[in-house]
Amino acid sequence: MIDEKTIVVQRYKDCKTERQKYISLWRDINKYVSLATDVNSNFEDTGTEQKQRDSYINDPTAYISTTQLADYLIGLIWGMGDEVFDLVPNDYIKEQIEDETEVADFYNYATNIASREINHPEAGFISCLNSFIQGQITYGTSGTGCYPSKDYIDGKADNILQFNRYGVDNCCIDEGANGKINVIFSVRNWRLARIIDEFAVKNEKVDEELLSKLPKDIKDAYTKKEYNKKFKIVHGILPHKDYSVGKIGVMGTKYKGFWLLETDKTVFFEENYRELPAAICRAIKLENQVYGASYSSMSISSIKLLNYAAGKGIRSIEKLTDPPHGAYSGSLQAGEVIDSSANALNIFKNDSSSNKPPIFPLSDLGDISALLQLLIPKAEQNIATIFKIDRLLDFNAQVSMTATESMQRFNIKSKSEIGIIIQILNEYLLPLLHRAISLLEEAEVFGVLPNTEEAQKREFIGQGHTVIPDAVAMAMQNGKRWYDIKFKNSISQILNAEKFEWLSKFLMTYAQMLQLNPDLQLAVKPYDLLAFVKEILNLGNESFMLSESEFKKAIEAMQQQQQQMMQLQAENMGSNTVRNLAGAEKDAKQSRESV
């Protein structure tokens, strides 16, 4: 039987070989679009001198399109970071409880905890999100990893989560039978001091047993105290071959991590993950290709054409404003190469028999303005179309519109965005949020277990929302998911745009039909309609609205109060009637006596 570590090393070599097929295209994109460092710098020792990043760019249309689209998508997906999502009870929890209001305070508390930790300045999520979006637009393959913060575990920091960037420059990947990425190798250039701190420190000191498990090169460097020496460390994530559904502990983890040294391919550390710790997304999935295509790769021909045309135009302007010159000299021989660049000086052999000026301009420039006027706008339009800039940023919405026209335009715009958003949502954001919440659950920050002494104390001092409800605690213990993620930001507006459109049409039609037949008001359940409106407006866990059970109780209380008032009014009317009868009899008696 082949050793598991041997399989991991061979898989890493295969992934590197597959990755090599895309380097040429990525370097072209690197020149004209991304302005990033060399895409192979982490895998190969290609330390090059830092130069001007945009030296290949004559027209920045592609770079501007990338920046605009990235800024738009980041704002759309995450905004300012607050009020992005709510954690709400899922169907499993709803089956265990009578009313959602009994767990509402806990879910609000859990939402605040998750949002706080993901947006923690030291967690690094925002910078990773920016890198992810840029990578999707430029190279087509990028992602983010979510891991427990070692400094938090060691008591040195208060951020529980740590996010890491994954891109084509620092990772190689492979996909499983279902076409989804399930094998990830990332390369990290770490100094010896960090390697020792990560893998050989226990109780704030170097543990000899842990140190002995590290590769020989690292131990030798530690002996020589070369703490700043860099090593190429590879972190591999593969499906756990011993995973079994329903198991608890190591056997219940879906993925396994392997750490190895690049130079000798020695696996020196292993760990396990309940779920895939990194979410990597491919912008455009092409058949029989492991890595994704991108807007940049799909438009690279137009980008090159635009740069070529703009470059020719710039050089033509240089020659028009500062043309090359020629001069005669009897001391030099003719036959040298003519330099036609701007401000060049070429020396020609003088013909003494002719009367010519000693210095004269060289004219080698044709009129290319018509060609540039054709090529440059066409290439710019092609690039903007491929990057969907006009549709996403809605540059054409400058005319005045009625409310109906504005709603129709919003719906059309939302439908053009839905493809990008759904992919990012399903392949990146949701897996990453589930991973983060799973780590926070392991860190036990969502509250204390019920039926404990600590829970009783918190209930007594008015902190019942920090006590995990029984149904949620049971789900956690059984390894079941206890929540759904409900987005509250612009994503929800896009996802609910069509629902909102049809609801508006329904309400308008319903109002007209009520005028024809008022009895139709009995055909609609008012509370259910109101709850649906709240849902598509994505108001989430907002507490301004009563739950259905609270609403029914309020109706019953109001009806009971009305009955009591009616009964009181009836009693008052009866008393008045008796008094009136008694008064009438008294008056009649007095009248008879007077007669």
Side-chain angles (χ1 to χ4, degrees):
M1 184 175 179
I2 302 176
D3 179 59
E4 184 181 32
K5 295 181 180 180
T6 303
I7 296 175
V8 171
V9 172
Q10 185 58 51
R11 195 70 179 273
Y12 171 57
K13 292 179 181 178
D14 293 342
C15 288
K16 281 185 66 178
T17 302
E18 176 66 25
R19 177 185 177 277
Q20 200 65 29
K21 300 175 184 178
Y22 302 84
I23 296 298
S24 177
L25 173 61
W26 292 341
R27 280 181 170 157
D28 268 354
I29 295 172
N30 199 23
K31 289 179 182 178
Y32 299 108
V33 183
S34 74
L35 306 183
T37 55
D38 183 63
V39 293
N40 223 27
S41 59
N42 281 309
F43 285 85
E44 308 289 343
D45 293 324
T46 56
T48 56
E49 180 183 355
Q50 293 295 319
K51 299 179 180 179
Q52 181 178 337
R53 294 290 178 84
D54 64 345
S55 57
Y56 291 93
I57 295 179
N58 294 313
D59 184 288
T61 298
Y63 177 71
I64 292 173
S65 297
T66 299
T67 304
Q68 286 181 329
L69 181 56
D71 290 343
Y72 173 78
L73 289 176
I74 291 171
L76 186 70
I77 293 168
W78 206 251
M80 296 296 293
D82 56 344
E83 300 295 324
V84 175
F85 64 90
D86 274 334
L87 299 183
V88 297
N90 59 3
D91 291 339
Y92 176 80
I93 296 297
K94 289 178 181 178
E95 293 174 357
Q96 314 296 320
I97 59 178
E98 294 183 1
D99 192 342
E100 291 185 38
T101 56
E102 61 187 78
V103 295
D105 289 343
F106 166 76
Y107 277 91
N108 284 331
Y109 175 70
T111 298
N112 293 334
I113 292 292
S115 180
R116 182 195 71 197
E117 291 301 327
I118 292 170
N119 288 302
H120 196 289
E122 298 299 323
F125 173 70
I126 300 302
S127 61
C128 285
L129 175 62
N130 182 69
S131 177
F132 163 75
I133 296 296
Q134 292 278 355
Q136 290 292 291
I137 300 169
T138 51
Y139 302 109
T141 303
S142 58
T144 302
C146 181
Y147 299 91
S149 168
K150 187 175 185 302
D151 286 342
Y152 175 81
I153 297 173
D154 295 340
K156 299 178 182 178
D158 60 355
N159 58 298
I160 301 172
L161 306 176
Q162 184 66 56
F163 294 92
N164 294 338
R165 180 187 69 86
Y166 285 79
V168 296
D169 62 314
N170 71 348
C171 78
C172 52
I173 59 176
D174 199 3
E175 56 186 18
N178 59 359
K180 293 184 177 181
I181 296 171
N182 65 350
V183 174
I184 305 169
F185 289 96
S186 58
V187 178
R188 300 148 189 232
N189 291 299
W190 284 0
R191 298 184 186 277
L192 173 65
R194 180 171 182 181
I195 296 173
I196 296 298
D197 185 59
E198 288 282 344
F199 302 106
V201 171
K202 185 176 182 180
N203 297 326
E204 298 187 359
K205 64 179 181 180
V206 176
D207 186 90
E208 293 298 329
E209 183 180 354
L210 295 176
L211 181 65
S212 64
K213 297 178 180 179
L214 297 179
K216 182 177 183 302
D217 290 348
I218 294 177
K219 289 186 290 187
D220 290 344
Y222 178 74
T223 302
K224 297 176 183 178
K225 298 183 179 181
E226 297 174 333
Y227 302 121
N228 287 322
K229 184 177 180 178
K230 285 189 175 182
F231 291 88
K232 205 177 295 292
I233 303 296
V234 180
H235 177 216
I237 304 169
L238 291 86
H240 190 185
K241 64 182 183 64
D242 296 326
Y243 167 69
S244 181
V245 178
K247 294 288 186 181
I248 299 176
V250 174
M251 299 290 287
T253 56
K254 294 182 180 180
Y255 293 89
K256 193 170 183 179
F258 300 86
W259 293 83
L260 58 141
L261 189 62
E262 164 69 33
T263 52
D264 63 1
K265 306 297 187 297
T266 302
V267 176
F268 61 86
F269 189 81
E270 301 176 16
E271 53 191 346
N272 298 87
Y273 312 109
R274 288 171 55 183
E275 57 278 302
L276 191 63
I280 296 183
C281 183
R282 291 166 290 186
I284 303 173
K285 179 69 173 74
L286 300 180
E287 191 68 25
N288 298 321
Q289 288 196 14
V290 175
Y291 293 84
S294 66
Y295 302 138
S296 297
S297 64
M298 302 296 280
S299 60
I300 192 65
S301 297
S302 294
I303 294 171
K304 286 184 175 181
L305 172 62
L306 179 58
N307 273 275
Y308 177 80
K312 285 295 184 183
I314 292 170
R315 284 186 284 276
S316 296
I317 293 172
E318 288 177 345
K319 291 183 181 182
L320 285 172
T321 57
D322 200 0
H325 290 79
Y328 291 109
S329 172
S331 62
L332 295 178
Q333 299 296 319
E336 297 178 353
V337 176
I338 297 177
D339 184 359
S340 62
S341 60
N343 201 30
L345 179 62
N346 296 273
I347 306 298
F348 298 91
K349 184 177 180 180
N350 186 21
D351 184 359
S352 59
S353 62
S354 61
N355 186 18
K356 299 177 181 178
I359 299 177
F360 53 90
L362 292 179
S363 178
D364 66 337
L365 180 64
D367 185 5
I368 64 171
S369 60
L371 182 61
L372 294 180
Q373 290 173 6
L374 172 66
L375 291 180
I376 290 181
K378 179 63 176 175
E380 288 178 340
Q381 181 183 1
N382 290 341
I383 293 170
T385 300
I386 292 173
F387 278 77
K388 303 183 180 182
I389 294 299
D390 180 66
R391 281 187 292 166
L392 293 177
L393 302 187
D394 213 11
F395 286 153
N396 293 328
Q398 302 300 323
V399 296
S400 59
M401 292 179 287
T402 65
T404 302
E405 290 172 337
S406 179
M407 177 61 69
Q408 290 173 345
R409 186 173 185 87
F410 174 74
N411 290 330
I412 294 171
K413 179 173 177 286
S414 297
K415 290 173 183 177
S416 70
E417 297 170 341
I418 198 71
I420 302 175
I421 297 303
I422 286 294
Q423 183 180 18
I424 293 176
L425 190 69
N426 291 334
E427 297 184 20
Y428 174 76
L429 195 54
L430 280 175
L432 199 60
L433 291 178
H434 287 314
R435 167 65 176 170
I437 294 169
S438 175
L439 291 178
L440 294 175
E441 183 182 327
E442 290 180 4
E444 300 180 351
V445 296
F446 286 127
V448 298
L449 292 173
N451 304 318
T452 61
E453 185 177 345
E454 179 63 24
Q456 293 176 358
K457 290 181 181 178
R458 296 194 181 192
E459 292 279 5
F460 180 75
I461 62 176
Q463 294 183 355
H465 60 281
T466 65
V467 177
I468 302 174
D470 292 331
V472 175
M474 185 66 67
M476 289 180 175
Q477 292 172 0
N478 293 333
K480 295 183 179 295
R481 188 164 289 167
W482 47 272
Y483 63 89
D484 279 334
I485 296 175
K486 189 178 182 113
F487 289 98
K488 301 169 59 178
N489 56 0
S490 299
I491 291 179
S492 66
Q493 296 178 14
I494 294 172
L495 297 179
N496 291 328
E498 194 166 3
K499 286 183 180 180
F500 191 79
E501 178 185 8
W502 286 108
L503 177 64
S504 300
K505 292 179 179 178
F506 169 78
L507 291 176
M508 291 175 60
T509 305
Y510 182 56
Q512 293 170 354
M513 295 183 69
L514 281 177
Q515 294 178 357
L516 298 175
N517 185 358
D519 291 338
L520 287 175
Q521 62 181 326
L522 301 175
V524 173
K525 298 178 180 178
Y527 185 89
D528 291 346
L529 179 60
L530 184 61
F532 181 66
V533 171
K534 180 186 177 187
E535 178 185 351
I536 65 172
L537 291 177
N538 212 38
L539 295 175
N541 290 336
E542 301 295 339
S543 58
F544 63 83
M545 182 172 159
L546 297 177
S547 67
E548 186 173 6
S549 61
E550 289 175 330
F551 175 70
K552 289 180 179 178
K553 290 178 181 178
I555 292 294
E556 291 174 358
M558 185 176 65
Q559 292 175 344
Q560 185 177 2
Q561 185 178 9
Q562 289 175 346
Q563 290 176 355
Q564 291 174 351
M565 291 180 64
M566 291 175 63
Q567 183 178 355
L568 183 60
Q569 289 176 354
E571 291 175 354
N572 290 336
M573 290 177 62
S575 299
N576 291 334
T577 301
V578 171
R579 284 196 297 270
N580 291 337
L581 289 174
E585 291 178 357
K586 181 178 180 181
D587 292 340
K589 182 178 180 181
Q590 291 176 351
S591 178
R592 287 193 299 271
E593 291 176 351
S594 62
V595 174

